[in-house]
Amino acid sequence: KKGDGNYERLEKEVAAWTAYRQRYVKVIGARIAYWRGRLKSDRRYSRGSRAYRLVDRYYKSYNGRESWRTVYRTLRSEEAKAWRGSPDWAKVKEYRGKVTAIMDEHAKKWEDYVGKQQKASRKYIYGYRHMFWWKYYALREYKRGWKLATAKKESSTADADKAEAKKRYEALVQRMTADQKGLVHRSWLYRALRGTIYWLGKYYSWTQT
């Protein structure tokens, strides 16, 4: 319980580990920034090289951008507070935007990959699955936000989440409808796209009301 000796001891341990982690991240971030600068100035390594891309990925994680884990956990923590009755809607909106922005980055990467493959090939289907799921996860986040805001009667947040979900739903369905063109109607991919569009229409019909 708060106030007894055991609680205070644990609180000090948590504070010590938090301080240690902050120092560790600062030191590692500085070393990564150093090597990123070295690679950037070295003509032997272009920005598209494997070494530079690897260091740049860690640089984004340790310098100037919150990690996926931190963003995701913060959003879920704020959602739990909202369900308990002490919401910070501005923070919920901010971190939902950060979570979906990361998902959009992954979706864009796979969308570019799909665009380079022959339609209906194995690599095309492999990339398409990844692209779809990242787009769907981002869409589902706004459904989650809409349900939370509706339950707590926060109309402005509910309307904003519903509008964003509608935009993403329509864009995804439009993309999948366009991708059906040129496919044999009895092919596996055509039937998968058609069935997925039907399924999305059932579960996201609330965006059209």
Side-chain angles (χ1 to χ4, degrees):
K1 292 182 179 181
K2 192 172 184 178
D4 62 14
N6 192 42
Y7 180 88
E8 291 177 358
R9 179 180 61 81
L10 291 173
E11 199 172 41
K12 286 179 181 178
E13 286 183 8
V14 170
W17 275 107
T18 302
Y20 170 77
R21 185 177 184 277
Q22 288 174 347
R23 292 195 300 270
Y24 173 82
V25 169
K26 187 176 181 180
V27 170
I28 294 297
R31 296 304 301 166
I32 292 171
Y34 167 78
W35 282 109
R36 182 174 180 267
R38 287 284 302 271
L39 290 173
K40 199 173 181 180
S41 61
D42 195 330
R43 293 182 179 180
R44 292 176 298 174
Y45 298 96
S46 66
R47 295 197 180 186
S49 66
R50 182 177 296 179
Y52 182 86
R53 285 187 285 112
L54 178 64
V55 173
D56 190 55
R57 185 172 63 190
Y58 282 103
Y59 176 81
K60 289 177 181 177
S61 297
Y62 283 91
N63 296 275
R65 189 171 78 170
E66 293 175 289
S67 67
W68 161 256
R69 181 181 178 182
T70 302
V71 171
Y72 185 82
R73 285 190 171 188
T74 303
L75 174 60
R76 295 296 178 251
S77 175
E78 291 301 322
E79 286 178 341
K81 289 178 185 177
W83 280 114
R84 289 195 297 265
S86 54
D88 183 350
W89 294 110
K91 199 167 184 180
V92 170
K93 181 180 179 181
E94 177 191 354
Y95 277 87
R96 196 177 306 284
K98 289 181 178 182
V99 165
T100 53
I102 294 172
M103 292 175 176
D104 289 340
E105 283 183 20
H106 287 287
K108 180 65 170 61
K109 181 186 76 172
W110 286 106
E111 195 169 10
D112 293 342
Y113 174 85
V114 167
K116 297 174 183 177
Q117 308 305 322
Q118 183 180 357
K119 195 165 187 178
S121 65
R122 287 186 177 182
K123 289 184 177 180
Y124 180 91
I125 294 171
Y126 173 80
Y128 204 98
R129 281 174 170 165
H130 285 76
M131 179 195 73
F132 168 79
W133 282 115
W134 282 114
K135 285 178 178 288
Y136 175 71
Y137 291 150
L139 170 61
R140 191 175 62 178
E141 276 300 319
Y142 285 100
K143 181 179 182 180
R144 185 187 183 102
W146 172 76
K147 290 174 71 175
L148 171 60
T150 302
K152 293 299 177 180
K153 298 180 181 179
E154 182 66 23
S155 58
S156 60
T157 304
D159 291 343
D161 286 342
K162 183 177 180 179
E164 183 65 25
K166 180 179 180 180
K167 184 179 76 173
R168 288 174 178 271
Y169 163 75
E170 290 177 348
L172 183 56
V173 169
Q174 185 178 2
R175 167 68 196 256
M176 296 176 74
T177 303
D179 290 335
Q180 290 182 72
K181 294 179 180 178
L183 296 173
V184 178
H185 287 198
R186 294 185 64 186
S187 67
W188 176 88
L189 182 57
Y190 180 88
R191 288 183 287 118
L193 290 172
R194 186 178 180 184
T196 305
I197 292 170
Y198 176 80
W199 175 77
L200 285 172
K202 285 287 187 180
Y203 282 90
Y204 287 87
S205 58
W206 57 272
T207 61
Q208 306 302 311
T209 58

